[in-house]
Amino acid sequence: MKPAFWARKAHKWIGLVIGVQALLWMCSGLYMTSISIDVIHGDHLAHVEEEPLAPAHIRVTPGELKERFDGVRHFRLKRFLSQPVYEVHHRGGIALVDAVSGKPLNPLPEASIRQAALALYQGKAPVQSMSLLRQAPQEVATRPVPLWQVRFADRGETTLYLSPETGELLAKRHSLWRWFDFLWMFHIMDYEARTDVNNTLLRVSAAVGLLFALSGVWLLFYSFSKRRPA
């Protein structure tokens, strides 16, 4: 058989194999470039308070923290529910201490987590549900557990994830982010963790795509070579 026959055959079958994935690449890429990454990250949904602390209100000293906790690795002074607190990382874990009274605050009760979530949330919808999770769902698979999941009853199904130890906002999720994550899975062809952009399946698909392009060049070469000058 003539080489042109094999060029057409190769181009047709390779195109059939890679065509669906190429369509998924284009659709997912279109979504990713159409919506601002700041919107995807949900920066408009939650706001962390960054007002400066008033040193005059702080009564507990760093020296007292070192005496109180065994093997203090590091600590930081921050604001929680408008009050100055110390977040102390020590040999036994993490402690949250009122910087004025010295009272331990963690593990934080549900009421405090709810109050913190409402302070962070920039929408007007009420809290729909709260759950203390021992196993992280797929959308926050890399976050440490346990963690609080706070769902809001808005159109975007906004969900905030907070630490039960420090009250820190660990992640914010909403519908546009979830669609992005779903399409990202197809874009990088990592159907499990959705994080590996250098997996074998993606490399094979890219190689097949290259073969498709080369077979097209091959077919184009034979198409022009068949023409004869008038």
Side-chain angles (χ1 to χ4, degrees), residues 13-192:
W13 287 107
I14 295 174
L16 183 63
V17 171
I18 201 62
V20 174
Q21 182 57 44
L23 180 62
L24 289 173
W25 280 333
M26 288 185 286
C27 290
S28 58
L30 178 62
Y31 183 87
M32 293 172 191
T33 55
S34 298
I35 301 176
S36 168
I37 193 63
D38 293 330
V39 173
I40 296 298
H41 287 166
D43 295 341
H44 61 293
L45 298 174
H47 174 69
V48 179
E49 189 176 11
E50 296 180 349
E51 294 181 11
L53 294 165
H57 296 162
I58 298 167
R59 298 287 183 267
V60 180
T61 66
E64 291 179 79
L65 295 176
K66 292 180 180 179
E67 291 178 2
R68 185 171 173 180
F69 298 100
D70 182 36
V72 174
R73 296 187 176 93
H74 63 273
F75 61 87
R76 68 185 179 110
L77 185 63
K78 66 176 188 178
R79 190 183 297 277
F80 179 70
L81 297 179
S82 300
Q83 298 297 321
V85 298
Y86 282 107
E87 180 183 312
V88 186
H89 295 251
H90 58 95
R91 189 171 297 154
I94 304 175
L96 200 65
V97 180
D98 190 308
V100 178
S101 67
K103 179 183 177 181
L105 301 175
N106 62 330
L108 294 165
E110 181 176 338
S112 294
I113 294 295
R114 176 185 288 268
Q115 191 177 352
L118 287 169
L120 290 164
Y121 180 58
Q122 296 299 290
K124 297 181 179 179
V127 172
Q128 184 178 54
S129 66
M130 291 184 62
S131 304
L132 181 59
L133 306 180
R134 303 290 176 182
Q135 183 175 356
Q138 172 64 41
E139 64 183 18
V140 286
T142 60
R143 301 303 192 274
V145 289
L147 75 169
W148 277 101
Q149 180 191 69
V150 184
R151 295 178 178 272
F152 290 87
D154 58 16
R155 292 179 60 187
E157 299 181 358
T158 301
T159 305
L160 303 183
Y161 292 91
L162 289 84
S163 166
E165 296 296 328
T166 66
E168 179 183 0
L169 177 63
L170 300 176
K172 40 192 182 292
R173 299 290 182 258
H174 57 116
S175 297
L176 292 177
W177 186 97
R178 294 182 182 104
W179 273 108
F180 183 97
D181 186 54
F182 180 71
L183 292 172
W184 176 253
M185 173 183 70
F186 288 105
H187 199 74
I188 66 172
M189 303 185 74
D190 180 3
Y191 301 106
E192 294 182 3

Side-chain angles (χ1 to χ4, degrees), residues 167-224:
E168 179 183 0
L169 177 63
L170 300 176
K172 40 192 182 292
R173 299 290 182 258
H174 57 116
S175 297
L176 292 177
W177 186 97
R178 294 182 182 104
W179 273 108
F180 183 97
D181 186 54
F182 180 71
L183 292 172
W184 176 253
M185 173 183 70
F186 288 105
H187 199 74
I188 66 172
M189 303 185 74
D190 180 3
Y191 301 106
E192 294 182 3
R194 306 182 184 182
T195 57
D196 187 2
V197 296
N198 193 32
N199 61 78
T200 301
L201 186 57
L202 181 61
R203 292 199 299 268
V204 170
S205 297
V208 173
L210 177 61
L211 287 176
F212 177 69
L214 293 176
S215 66
V217 173
W218 185 20
L219 185 59
L220 187 65
F221 171 78
Y222 278 104
S223 295
F224 277 103

